[in-house]
Amino acid sequence: MSIRLLAKDLYRFQREVEQLEKELAALPLAKRAPVEEKLRQAMKERDYLKRALDGQLGR
């Protein structure tokens, strides 16, 4: 995958994480579980892409 595509995906996941964090802050405790799971997945993808761009994958 090219660096440009990785950077675009990273930016998209950074925005998604920010949006989910705001959404989570506004939700009552009873409705947080599905949003927390989405946030965990988005953070996992974001961190993976950060490492890929930093050249740390496969080392």
Side-chain angles (χ1 to χ4, degrees):
M1 190 181 269
S2 75
I3 292 176
R4 177 178 277 171
L5 291 175
L6 287 173
K8 282 184 179 183
D9 283 346
L10 175 59
Y11 179 68
R12 182 172 54 88
F13 277 106
Q14 286 174 332
R15 288 188 318 185
E16 184 176 344
V17 165
E18 291 170 4
Q19 186 270 330
L20 287 169
E21 287 173 337
K22 288 177 186 176
E23 185 178 332
L24 190 62
L27 285 175
L29 288 176
K31 296 184 179 185
R32 286 182 153 208
V35 176
E36 286 175 339
E37 182 58 31
K38 286 181 188 177
L39 178 59
R40 264 193 294 277
Q41 290 296 328
M43 291 173 82
K44 182 179 172 182
E45 288 293 325
R46 179 199 63 190
D47 294 345
Y48 175 82
L49 290 168
K50 275 184 182 180
R51 286 192 317 274
L53 281 173
D54 288 341
Q56 295 180 0
L57 290 179
R59 292 184 185 180

